[in-house]
């Protein structure tokens, strides 16, 4: 085994028995901490008749109550914390675009464990201490920038804290500094790739060999487009602020699922309607328990992300469980005339047909009937086609969407660069319906 491809081989390649023992030990501590310090959790446990002493193995986790984003919002800002303000060294918060911000606190130990998860992700993607890592995630209350920054420093690589914005300048930095890895949202990676192309730069001349992209769902076809535009290998990284931030899970060189740092973040897949725990290979809602956190030690937190788990060992040698790329969120899923539609399905269709991944989904209600419209931005080569050719392309997209979604959708072709670009998370859906 070549341990240079691992950051912590004793954990990343541990036996299932060792992992289960570590998880059981930490779950017992976590349950007692929550029961003694977090009144919301103590009340939930009392209501179902569970005490800390009832938890002895990791399998006992199913006895514990779920935690929801509304619990964090209802106890805003610090009501879910298990430590005093004196023990905190960091505060982060979500964007709050769908309600109140969710505020996250970290002890020094929490920050160290979070950084370990990110360090594992960087090494799994092939980064080394000799690399320069260009970080275009936003810094500040958003967890992306500082999460990748601390992980980069933990592997003793060089962090370039560019943050987002001023894309042409970022491309110049990639050229001038000889950057080895890029870290940003996949939407911004596409914008960087388009900018490289528009500036007349041959991506083969850039030193960049890899990118670590997350904070929003993205398809395999989008991965191929990023890799083509930037001439790199693109890796997925997963996280959410309530659990830690980026680095909860990440891809290795096999790119066959994201390895979860399950010594720190224990995963389950449940039926989103019944709460029943589902087996490996079955899609459901991802649930996390923060085994490696003290400030905000959430138990069985419902992420709303839809994916599946795989406990079989990976060809890379890691034994940590893998999660599939999330195919959407249970709360982002659109229900159109009784049909479940994920934006990622539409994106995959467009990219399969050779379209650029710049699109907008608009849902409206006309005469009590839902109407789905997909606005697709043409690339320069398509824009020069005849009206007859464009109508053929539009019809091809309509038919492909019908086949994939089992639902009819209107398709509107737009001029190049007419849709907004995103430096952070992309906003793909506009739902105008009044419920």
């Amino acid at each position: 085994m070549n341990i240079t491809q691992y950051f912590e081989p004793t954990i990343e390649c541990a036996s299932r028995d060792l992992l289960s023992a570590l998880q059981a030990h930490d779950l017992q501590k976590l349950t007692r901490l929550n029961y003694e310090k977090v009144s919301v959790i103590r009340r939930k446990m009392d209501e179902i008749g569970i005490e800390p002493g009832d938890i002895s193995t990791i399998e006992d986790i199913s006895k514990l109550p779920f935690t929801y984003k509304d619990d964090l919002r209802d106890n805003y800002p610090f009501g879910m914390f298990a430590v005093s303000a004196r023990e905190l060294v960091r505060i982060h918060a979500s964007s709050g675009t769908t309600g109140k911000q969710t505020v996250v606190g970290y002890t020094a130990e929490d920050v160290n464990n979070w950084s370990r998860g990110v360090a594992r992700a960087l090494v799994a993607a092939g980064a080394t201490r000799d690399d320069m890592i260009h970080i275009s995630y936003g810094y500040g209350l958003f967890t992306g920038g500082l999460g990748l920054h601390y992980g980069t420093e933990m592997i003793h690589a060089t962090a370039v804290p560019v943050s987002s914005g001023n894309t042409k300048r970022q491309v110049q930095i990639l050229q001038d500094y000889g950057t080895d890895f890029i870290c940003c949202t996949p939407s911004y990676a596409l914008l960087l790739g388009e900018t490289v192309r528009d500036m007349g730069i041959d991506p083969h001349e850039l030193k960049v060999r890899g990118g670590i992209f997350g904070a929003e769902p993205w398809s395999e076809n989008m991965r191929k487009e990023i890799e083509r535009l930037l001439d790199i290998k693109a890796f997925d990284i997963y996280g959410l602020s309530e659990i830690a931030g980026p680095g909860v899970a990440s891809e290795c060189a096999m790119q066959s699922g994201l390895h979860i740092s399950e010594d720190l973040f224990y995963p389950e897949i449940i039926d989103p309607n019944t709460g029943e725990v589902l087996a490996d290979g079955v899609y459901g809602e991802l649930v996390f328990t923060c085994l490696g956190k003290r400030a905000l030690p959430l138990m069985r937190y419902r992420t709303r992300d839809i994916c599946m788990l795989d406990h079989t060992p990976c060809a890379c040698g890691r034994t940590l469980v893998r999660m599939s790329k999330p195919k959407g969120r249970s709360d982002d899923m659109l229900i159109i005339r009784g049909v479940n539609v994920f934006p990622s399905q539409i994106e995959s269709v467009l990219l399969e047909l050779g379209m650029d991944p710049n699109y907008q989904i608009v849902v409206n209600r006309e005469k009590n009937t839902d109407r789905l419209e997909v606005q697709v931005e043409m690339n320069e080569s398509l824009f020069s086609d005849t009206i007859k050719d464009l109508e053929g392309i539009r019809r091809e997209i309509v038919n492909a969407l019908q086949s994939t979604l089992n639902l009819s959708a209107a398709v509107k072709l737009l001029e190049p660069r007419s849709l907004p670009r995103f430096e952070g998370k992309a906003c793909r859906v506009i739902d105008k319906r009044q419920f």
Side-chain angles (χ1 to χ4, degrees):
M1 178 171 60
N2 177 13
I3 65 170
T4 59
Q5 64 180 311
Y6 310 108
F7 180 69
E8 294 178 302
T10 55
I11 295 296
E12 294 176 79
C13 303
S15 69
R16 183 52 47 186
D17 286 345
L18 175 57
L19 283 171
S20 294
L22 293 172
Q23 291 165 344
H25 175 265
D26 289 340
L27 180 62
Q28 293 169 26
K29 288 171 52 180
L30 175 78
T31 305
R32 187 164 298 280
L33 176 65
N34 268 291
Y35 193 80
E36 293 176 353
K37 301 293 185 181
V38 185
S39 61
V40 177
I41 302 301
R42 181 169 61 251
R43 185 167 59 251
K44 283 176 179 266
M45 291 177 63
D46 287 345
E47 286 174 354
I48 59 176
I50 294 294
E51 298 180 352
D54 297 324
I55 306 300
S56 57
T57 69
I58 192 60
E59 287 75 22
D60 289 333
I61 198 169
S62 61
K63 299 177 182 178
L64 294 168
F66 291 115
T67 311
Y68 302 84
K69 180 166 282 192
D70 282 346
D71 291 321
L72 294 166
R73 289 174 177 155
D74 292 345
N75 294 278
Y76 172 90
F78 309 130
M80 297 288 289
F81 286 12
V83 300
S84 67
R86 183 179 294 273
E87 295 180 75
L88 297 174
V89 299
R90 179 92 66 80
I91 292 285
H92 281 287
S94 70
S95 61
T97 54
T98 57
K100 271 187 179 178
Q101 286 187 326
T102 52
V103 180
V104 187
Y106 302 79
T107 65
E109 180 184 359
D110 294 341
V111 171
N112 184 71
N113 283 338
W114 176 19
S115 302
R116 286 169 59 206
V118 178
R120 292 174 187 174
L122 290 164
V123 173
T128 73
R129 64 182 301 156
D130 298 321
D131 287 331
M132 187 169 292
I133 299 178
H134 182 107
I135 303 170
S136 292
Y137 286 110
Y139 281 68
L141 288 177
F142 175 59
T143 55
L146 285 171
L148 266 298
H149 189 111
Y150 272 59
T152 295
E153 292 185 345
M154 183 166 274
I155 69 170
H156 303 291
T158 303
V160 185
V162 187
S163 196
S164 57
N166 203 339
T167 305
K168 287 186 177 181
R169 178 172 173 268
Q170 296 219 21
V171 171
Q172 182 182 346
I173 289 173
L174 295 176
Q175 286 183 294
D176 295 348
Y177 292 13
T179 307
D180 301 284
F181 273 81
I182 308 170
C183 303
C184 59
T185 65
S187 297
Y188 194 60
L190 282 171
L191 180 55
L192 282 169
E194 290 177 346
T195 305
V196 166
R197 179 193 63 201
D198 295 346
M199 292 173 67
I201 299 168
D202 183 350
H204 294 80
E205 295 177 359
L206 297 176
K207 189 185 174 188
V208 183
R209 69 177 187 276
I212 298 176
F213 309 121
E216 62 187 15
W218 52 304
S219 64
E220 284 300 317
N221 285 327
M222 192 170 183
R223 186 208 301 270
K224 292 175 185 175
E225 182 68 6
I226 291 171
E227 291 183 334
R228 183 187 69 82
L229 284 170
L230 290 169
D231 189 35
I232 62 172
K233 192 165 185 178
F235 297 90
D236 201 351
I237 189 169
Y238 175 89
L240 60 167
S241 60
E242 299 93 318
I243 302 303
V248 173
S250 59
E251 287 183 318
C252 65
M254 301 298 107
Q255 294 179 318
S256 59
L258 290 81
H259 291 280
I260 299 173
S261 289
E262 57 176 310
D263 57 319
L264 305 174
F265 315 105
Y266 184 79
E268 301 170 89
I269 297 291
I270 65 166
D271 183 310
N273 297 314
T274 67
E276 174 191 1
V277 177
L278 302 176
D280 276 16
V282 179
Y283 276 95
E285 181 182 341
L286 181 61
V287 173
F288 273 116
T289 296
C290 298
L291 298 176
K293 286 187 71 178
R294 289 185 62 246
L296 186 64
L298 294 179
M299 298 192 307
R300 305 196 81 196
Y301 181 76
R302 296 187 57 161
T303 68
R304 302 298 183 187
D305 287 325
I306 302 297
C307 66
M308 65 179 181
L309 296 180
D310 181 359
H311 280 83
T312 61
C314 181
C316 74
R318 288 174 178 80
T319 54
L320 296 174
V321 63
R322 285 169 287 160
M323 59 178 274
S324 64
K325 286 173 71 72
K327 68 176 184 179
R329 291 175 55 84
S330 60
D331 52 358
D332 281 351
M333 180 182 72
L334 296 166
I335 301 177
I336 312 293
R337 301 195 292 277
V339 177
N340 296 341
V341 176
F342 288 98
S344 58
Q345 293 175 290
I346 294 172
E347 177 180 290
S348 184
V349 167
L350 297 177
L351 289 170
E352 284 283 355
L353 295 176
M355 307 299 295
D356 287 348
N358 299 311
Y359 64 95
Q360 192 106 63
I361 300 166
V362 181
V363 187
N364 216 330
R365 180 163 288 165
E366 298 176 0
K367 297 180 180 179
N368 296 319
T369 300
D370 291 340
R371 182 177 184 274
L372 174 65
E373 179 181 85
V374 181
Q375 300 176 354
V376 184
E377 187 180 286
M378 294 179 290
N379 55 40
E380 294 292 345
S381 62
L382 291 178
F383 190 55
S384 62
D385 288 349
T386 66
I387 293 177
K388 181 180 177 180
D389 291 335
L390 292 177
E391 176 55 27
I393 293 168
R394 191 193 68 80
R395 177 53 53 186
E396 185 180 18
I397 297 172
V398 167
N399 292 338
L401 289 173
Q402 173 74 49
S403 176
T404 298
L405 304 177
N406 292 317
L407 182 77
S408 61
V411 172
K412 184 178 182 180
L413 299 181
L414 304 178
E415 294 182 7
R417 307 196 69 82
S418 56
L419 288 174
R421 299 301 193 263
F422 300 95
E423 295 174 357
K425 295 183 181 182
C427 180
R428 300 292 191 193
V429 180
I430 300 174
D431 195 337
K432 297 181 178 180
R433 293 175 292 181
Q434 299 295 319
F435 293 98

